[in-house]
Amino acid sequence: MIALFWISFIVSLVGSALLITQKHAVYALLGLLIAFGASAGVFLSLDAPFIAVSQILIYAGALAVMFLFVLMFTDTRTEEDVGLPGAVGSRAVFDPATGRPSKKKKKKADEEEKKPALSGMVMPKPMAVAVSLALLVCFTATIVTLPSDYNRFGPLPSAYDGINFEGVERSADQIKTDPNLLPFGSTEAVSRTIFEGFPLAFEVVSLLIFAAVLGAVLLARRHLVGIPGTQDVAKESGHA
Amino acid sequence: MPEPKVVLFLAAFLFCCGVYGVLSRRHLIMLLMSLELMLNAINIMLVTFSRHWAGKNHDMLGSHAGQFFTLMVMAVAAAEVGIGLAIIVALYRRKHTADADAATDLKN
């Protein structure tokens, strides 16, 4: 467990460093994926296997694919590539006669090949570094001054401790047959926490996700004549 | 088992990486990714406190509350990313860029 934790520790540091230094958005997404996978390892070493699996399923599975799809829809080049202001002019300039990117862009691509290996990284911004380092110092000071019972984790409540979900102590004979005694962090224990402890929050989250799905469909839809954000798109496709 | 303070430091470091990403990037997708890293750091912190509580109080419902909150954070993060990416796609259709500085229609 301790080896798993330290490996995950180092790998998540590497992943987050990749995320904040890489210029190319797909490489940054790869760093985010590495950090998420390593976080699943941290959860596993903290006796939370169900959370670890749902971390991989939801974050590394669903969210990363969503990010990749939107990267496919949009321009992945960042402001460091095209210079500021990165508004309308930052698009690739296409030559209408040939239907290919114009020579100006090609020349830029040739220049990029000669750049050193560090050219894929973003130059650090001094103010952002100062603010995040100050925040890290504050957090570290808080963590160091935590009381001494945070120096180590206590022993887990095993299924044979004789305390179940209702907080009732059981005798050794009852323990072996009691279905309410569950190991810490198991799927059964987490699901009983959800449905016995916080059922209202569970239902409210389902409502939230429903609203989010509706909103995402409405926002990303095309051909909404009469709504300002989407009308120009309808016009464009009408001409083409 | 790792020490709680080391895990909390890892969470703090990931959170600060996310803060740096949000402050330094202008590409909206990179902003959302850094936000996800911050939420992930919060998840690590919640699971750490959940495990710490389980070692002190052998109360099954109370010690799983942190893990339940982690699941809630995951659900809210998924909803937020869905809406955020839809907004980015809509902005890209209008402005032909995903740069945060391009969204200035409400300025002045």
Side-chain angles (χ1 to χ4, degrees):
Chain A
M1 277 310 192
I2 189 76
L4 174 68
F5 172 74
W6 282 110
I7 292 170
S8 308
F9 185 94
I10 292 167
V11 171
S12 59
L13 293 195
V14 170
S16 56
L18 258 179
L19 171 72
I20 59 175
T21 54
Q22 284 299 307
K23 191 189 282 181
H24 200 284
V26 178
Y27 296 157
L29 179 63
L30 182 68
L32 187 68
L33 258 178
I34 292 171
F36 280 163
S39 303
V42 172
F43 293 153
L44 213 55
S45 71
L46 289 174
D47 297 305
F50 180 71
I51 304 294
V53 171
S54 37
Q55 163 93 6
I56 290 182
L57 277 179
I58 295 174
Y59 277 117
L63 282 191
V65 172
M66 262 163 72
F67 273 118
L68 267 183
F69 266 112
V70 175
L71 284 178
M72 185 183 78
F73 289 150
T74 60
D75 196 352
T76 56
R77 283 171 303 154
T78 53
E79 70 276 1
E80 282 82 8
D81 290 330
V82 293
L84 276 178
V88 182
S90 69
R91 252 184 146 181
V93 185
F94 280 91
D95 195 351
T98 57
R100 294 182 155 212
S102 62
K103 283 174 187 171
K104 193 179 165 190
K105 173 78 179 106
K106 245 181 216 168
K107 205 175 186 180
K108 201 183 167 191
D110 287 342
E111 283 170 9
E112 274 174 2
E113 283 173 15
K114 291 170 192 164
K115 281 183 185 172
L118 277 179
S119 68
M121 294 199 173
V122 183
M123 283 296 112
K125 306 266 192 322
M127 273 313 284
V129 170
V131 169
S132 48
L133 270 186
L135 207 58
L136 184 60
V137 168
C138 291
F139 285 151
T140 311
T142 313
I143 289 167
V144 166
T145 53
L146 277 176
S148 62
D149 65 335
Y150 279 90
N151 285 336
R152 66 208 331 273
F153 287 116
L156 270 184
S158 73
Y160 301 102
D161 266 4
I163 299 172
N164 66 4
F165 257 92
E166 288 85 38
V168 184
E169 299 209 13
R170 301 293 165 94
S171 69
D173 285 341
Q174 282 173 319
I175 284 166
K176 282 174 186 164
T177 55
D178 190 352
N180 287 334
L181 292 169
L182 301 166
F184 178 77
S186 64
T187 310
E188 294 93 335
V190 175
S191 55
R192 291 200 61 163
T193 308
I194 294 174
F195 293 111
E196 290 180 11
F198 311 94
L200 182 67
F202 181 77
E203 296 299 331
V204 169
V205 159
S206 70
L207 206 66
L208 172 84
I209 290 181
F210 178 63
V213 167
L214 281 188
V217 168
L218 186 74
L219 278 170
R221 211 176 130 192
R222 277 169 173 268
H223 300 299
L224 280 180
V225 181
I227 294 181
T230 55
Q231 201 176 18
D232 50 347
V233 178
K235 257 187 217 164
E236 270 179 21
S237 53
H239 281 295
Chain B
M1 287 298 293
E3 291 179 22
K5 287 182 179 178
V6 178
V7 191
L8 290 178
F9 175 77
L10 171 69
F13 185 85
L14 289 184
F15 189 86
C16 292
C17 277
V19 168
Y20 173 79
V22 167
L23 288 178
S24 66
R25 294 301 183 93
R26 271 186 297 266
H27 199 267
L28 277 172
I29 296 177
M30 305 297 286
L31 237 82
L32 264 184
M33 283 187 208
S34 307
L35 221 65
E36 288 304 308
L37 193 65
M38 285 160 76
L39 287 172
N40 190 46
I42 297 303
N43 280 349
I44 292 178
M45 209 171 254
L46 281 172
V47 170
T48 311
F49 285 127
S50 154
R51 175 65 184 80
H52 183 254
W53 181 269
K56 279 174 68 183
N57 313 48
H58 289 190
D59 156 30
M60 290 299 270
L61 195 64
S63 56
H64 283 93
Q67 300 194 10
F68 168 75
F69 270 95
T70 304
L71 287 176
M72 290 296 111
V73 169
M74 281 182 189
V76 172
E80 169 223 320
V81 164
I83 289 287
L85 290 179
I87 289 176
I88 291 174
V89 168
L91 182 79
Y92 185 78
R93 286 221 185 106
R94 199 173 163 79
K95 301 277 184 191
H96 300 297
T97 179
D99 198 315
D101 289 350
T104 52
D105 284 356
L106 287 179
K107 212 174 171 183
N108 301 322

